Structures are given as C-alpha cells and as structure tokens.
Amino acid sequence: MPEFKNIYRTMPDGTLKHINPLTGTEVWTVPDRAHRPLNKAIHQPKALQPVNPENHCDFCQTNYLKTPPEKNRLIQTPGGSYQKLEQLTPDELHNSQALFRRVANLFEIVTLDYWLKNHGFQISAHQAQWQKDYLAKPRGLDHVLQMITTKLQLIGKTPEELSKIPQDEKLRLAESFFAGGHELIIAQKHFKPRAQWDTDLVASGDLTPEEHYQYFRFTIDALIDIYDNNPFVRYVSVFQNWLQPAGASLEHLHRQLVGIDEWGASIESELEIVRQNPNIYNEAIINFSINQNLIVAENDHAIAVAELGHRFPTLVIYSKSPQVRPEDHSPEELRGVSDLIHACHAATGNQVPCNEEWYYTPRDSKVLMPWHILIKWRTNNLAGFEGGTKIYINPISPTAQKNLIVPRLHELREQKIIKNLKIGDEFSSKMNPLLYGRA
C-alpha cells in the first residue's frame, strides 16, 4: 500500500508520527509522556452508603419524575423476555423497573424551536395527542410544570421572573418534551451490586452482553423514531459521554441521540474521501492494521482496531456487514457489533473517561461508509501546542493501546465475562473483510 506508507512512522528518537487517512489529523506520540493507567480512579475513592432503591442522581430509579416524560422504557418480564412500554403516565412509572428509559434532554442541542422556525416542522398528531393526554392528568401537568420550572431556574431565572411567566407559556416550552429530537437513553443502575466505593459505577462494560445488546437495540429504535417523526432530519448523531472529563453532566450511564438537518463537517469530509476511494476503510484502516499488527479483536460480524491519527487513544469497531446503517443490520449482526463494543468497554474499565461516537452512512447519501463506532479514551488534555500547530500529542500509541487492551480481553474471556471473540493475534480475517455496500 504505497499511498499509505508515510502515515505511520517512527523517528530515530522514538517519536511516532501518525496521520489518520480519513481525517488527515496529524498526531505525535512522544516517548515518556505520562498517561493514566487503566482502571486508576480519577479521584480518591470515598466510602459509599448503600441506598435501595438508588437515589444518587436525577437519573436514578427513585427520581423518575426528575426527568421529562418517558417516551418509552424497556423492562424484563417475569418470564425473562424483554418488553417495551410506551408513554407511561406518572401514576404508572413505579409499577415496573426500567432497564432503560428514553426521555427528552432537558437542554436540547438542536431545539424544537429550531425545527419549527427554520423548517416549518409540525408536531405529529401522535405526539400532540400524547402531550394532551399527559397534561390532562393532574400529576402529569404538575410533572411537566415542575420540569419547566427546574429548567428555567437552571438557566438563571429568579423566583420573581418565574412567577410572571403564564402557565400557557410554560406549557409551550414543554412541547419539546413530547416532540423534540434530542433524547437520552438512561440505564437502570447507578452503582454496581454490593458497591463499596463511589467509584464502583456501572459503565457500559459492567452490563452483561445481553443487557448491552438490549441497550443497543433500544437506542436504534429511538434513532428510527427520530427519523420517522421529523422529515427534516438528515442525520441522527449518537454518542455517549462517560465520566465528567469526557463531558458527562451526570455520572450515570446514558446515551444521547440528536437529530440534525445536515451531516456535519466530519461526515461530509469523510464521505468525500470515500467518494475518491470507496474501499478506503479496508485499504487504509483494516488492511493497514493487519499489516501493522493493530487488530484488537474480532468476531463474525465486527472487527476492532487501535486506530492511528486520533487526538485521544481510540479503539474503533467496524461492522463487517454489507448493511451501512445500524437500523438495517440483522439481529445477529447487531449482536456481533454490540458484543465487540461491550468487550472493548469492559476491557477499558469504568475509570477511564471516554466518548462513544457512532458513524454510519446518512440516509440521503449515495456514497457508502461502514457503520463504525469510536471509543475515545479521554486520558489527555489538549493544550496550546495543539491549537497552534494542529499537531496533536497523544501519549498512548496505537500499539501501546492494543498492548493494554489485549491482556484485559484475555482475562475477561477466562472469567467468562466475554465470549466468542478472537483476540489480538488470533484474528482470522483476510484482507478487505468489510463488506459495506455489497448487499
């Protein structure tokens, strides 16, 4: 692959210079730069006082009324199957335990007003009826008004200012709870069972593989619904911020979805490169990673690599499926992707701040990219050097990241926490294993 020969080179002093072939981001890994080892607590652990049911933050199960109205929730029935419950009223919220809940984000990135004023968006009859039914119940009306009051207080409104806002205006502001396109998927547990310290948080890797798969399916159902409810949405951004250094406002496991009316600069620039070389994900990422021994793990439906040219140490999991969007994957393909991502999170541990970012082919794009998910370890801070030069200092090289993760994956497999993975040098994929667009 001569066109990629200069994207990964080690200088005589040991400095590794690497460039991401999809983004052009230049990164240096300088010898002896400090980094946080895996599973080292980001603060001094404090003894935890157990609370059952949990009441540690606004996302905990005792605080269902401290989030906007539920669009739906996933529960497990006594028989062990999974069932989705739609649009529960306040009186029904505590009749079941939600494994995952889907609610509007109190502070939208792309607001309902954005869609109403810029696109002439109209709330669907289904959403309007749900809002009407919810507000018709006294507890529903009280809940919505309390959530709006909380929001206005958080943005700095004084009690005097709040008293002057008519109820009709507050209810207009609450329309975003029922028809907005920025949503949260909230997990049930805040801490692990028998947690003793405040660092014993439940992260993605602490779910069982089955729970993680249900988390994935529930997220994708929400993604489909955002598209279906707003014809002006061109792309739904899906991401997860874990721990405060990675941007989490609450350290309770949750994922976010945001509908936007464009692809975003990152997707647009990446697809332009794909337009010039449709097979670049195989050639410049997977084949290159095979040659450079950067494959972390794989199963029948996905492959994980320690990818070069990222500002932070980054694991990338690529779907091998011919399908290029998550909602088009078969249950078996989706489970394969979910299992590999779960394994990477479990090996990373719950004390590494990280972002999970989803990338897939937009629905209105003729240029195809494989569905892939980045797990970025937020173990270093960007500074003035990076801003001035656009050369980023990443203290962990792709090889070092792989060497950190692979032994942990072997341990987890021995403990039977993960299974059905080929780890590190066990991988069997030949060149060009990604089948995107060949359906």
Side-chain angles (χ1 to χ4, degrees), residues 61 69 75 185 236 322 326 344 422:
Q61 58 185 335
I75 67 167
I185 306 296
V236 177
C344 289
K422 296 177 180 178

mmCIF file of all heavy atoms in Angstrom, residues 61 69 75 185 236 322 326 344 422:
data_model
loop_
_atom_site.group_PDB
_atom_site.id
_atom_site.type_symbol
_atom_site.label_atom_id
_atom_site.label_comp_id
_atom_site.label_asym_id
_atom_site.label_seq_id
_atom_site.Cartn_x
_atom_site.Cartn_y
_atom_site.Cartn_z
ATOM 1 N N GLN A 61 -33.540 5.479 39.791
ATOM 2 C CA GLN A 61 -34.900 4.965 39.638
ATOM 3 C C GLN A 61 -35.900 5.548 40.635
ATOM 4 O O GLN A 61 -37.111 5.464 40.404
ATOM 5 C CB GLN A 61 -34.903 3.446 39.701
ATOM 6 C CG GLN A 61 -34.325 2.862 40.971
ATOM 7 C CD GLN A 61 -34.249 1.352 40.910
ATOM 8 O OE1 GLN A 61 -34.999 0.716 40.171
ATOM 9 N NE2 GLN A 61 -33.347 0.748 41.670
ATOM 10 N N PRO A 69 -41.120 13.594 30.616
ATOM 11 C CA PRO A 69 -41.974 12.417 30.423
ATOM 12 C C PRO A 69 -41.290 11.332 29.589
ATOM 13 O O PRO A 69 -40.597 11.634 28.619
ATOM 14 C CB PRO A 69 -43.197 12.988 29.701
ATOM 15 C CG PRO A 69 -43.272 14.411 30.161
ATOM 16 C CD PRO A 69 -41.852 14.855 30.296
ATOM 17 N N ILE A 75 -38.403 -3.119 29.820
ATOM 18 C CA ILE A 75 -38.432 -3.896 31.058
ATOM 19 C C ILE A 75 -38.191 -5.360 30.733
ATOM 20 O O ILE A 75 -38.290 -5.786 29.574
ATOM 21 C CB ILE A 75 -39.781 -3.752 31.802
ATOM 22 C CG1 ILE A 75 -40.920 -4.400 30.985
ATOM 23 C CG2 ILE A 75 -40.094 -2.293 32.095
ATOM 24 C CD1 ILE A 75 -42.211 -4.574 31.761
ATOM 25 N N ILE A 185 -31.038 7.947 26.470
ATOM 26 C CA ILE A 185 -31.335 6.568 26.841
ATOM 27 C C ILE A 185 -30.622 6.333 28.167
ATOM 28 O O ILE A 185 -29.389 6.339 28.234
ATOM 29 C CB ILE A 185 -30.835 5.563 25.792
ATOM 30 C CG1 ILE A 185 -31.377 5.911 24.401
ATOM 31 C CG2 ILE A 185 -31.212 4.143 26.196
ATOM 32 C CD1 ILE A 185 -32.865 5.831 24.255
ATOM 33 N N VAL A 236 -28.919 11.474 12.460
ATOM 34 C CA VAL A 236 -29.073 11.401 13.909
ATOM 35 C C VAL A 236 -27.713 11.072 14.506
ATOM 36 O O VAL A 236 -27.155 9.991 14.251
ATOM 37 C CB VAL A 236 -30.114 10.346 14.326
ATOM 38 C CG1 VAL A 236 -30.191 10.256 15.853
ATOM 39 C CG2 VAL A 236 -31.488 10.687 13.757
ATOM 40 N N PRO A 322 -22.692 -6.054 5.069
ATOM 41 C CA PRO A 322 -22.963 -5.274 3.855
ATOM 42 C C PRO A 322 -23.862 -4.069 4.130
ATOM 43 O O PRO A 322 -23.862 -3.114 3.350
ATOM 44 C CB PRO A 322 -23.669 -6.282 2.931
ATOM 45 C CG PRO A 322 -23.314 -7.627 3.467
ATOM 46 C CD PRO A 322 -23.150 -7.448 4.944
ATOM 47 N N PRO A 326 -27.111 1.283 11.111
ATOM 48 C CA PRO A 326 -27.402 0.354 12.222
ATOM 49 C C PRO A 326 -28.792 -0.243 12.165
ATOM 50 O O PRO A 326 -28.980 -1.425 12.495
ATOM 51 C CB PRO A 326 -27.209 1.228 13.470
ATOM 52 C CG PRO A 326 -27.141 2.645 13.000
ATOM 53 C CD PRO A 326 -26.677 2.609 11.594
ATOM 54 N N CYS A 344 -14.813 -4.223 24.445
ATOM 55 C CA CYS A 344 -13.842 -3.121 24.495
ATOM 56 C C CYS A 344 -14.096 -2.225 25.701
ATOM 57 O O CYS A 344 -13.151 -1.772 26.367
ATOM 58 C CB CYS A 344 -13.891 -2.321 23.201
ATOM 59 S SG CYS A 344 -13.198 -3.184 21.766
ATOM 60 N N LYS A 422 -12.210 -13.518 18.873
ATOM 61 C CA LYS A 422 -10.815 -13.801 18.573
ATOM 62 C C LYS A 422 -10.029 -12.563 18.968
ATOM 63 O O LYS A 422 -10.319 -11.463 18.494
ATOM 64 C CB LYS A 422 -10.641 -14.115 17.093
ATOM 65 C CG LYS A 422 -11.370 -15.392 16.670
ATOM 66 C CD LYS A 422 -11.244 -15.636 15.183
ATOM 67 C CE LYS A 422 -11.989 -16.919 14.794
ATOM 68 N NZ LYS A 422 -11.930 -17.158 13.326
#
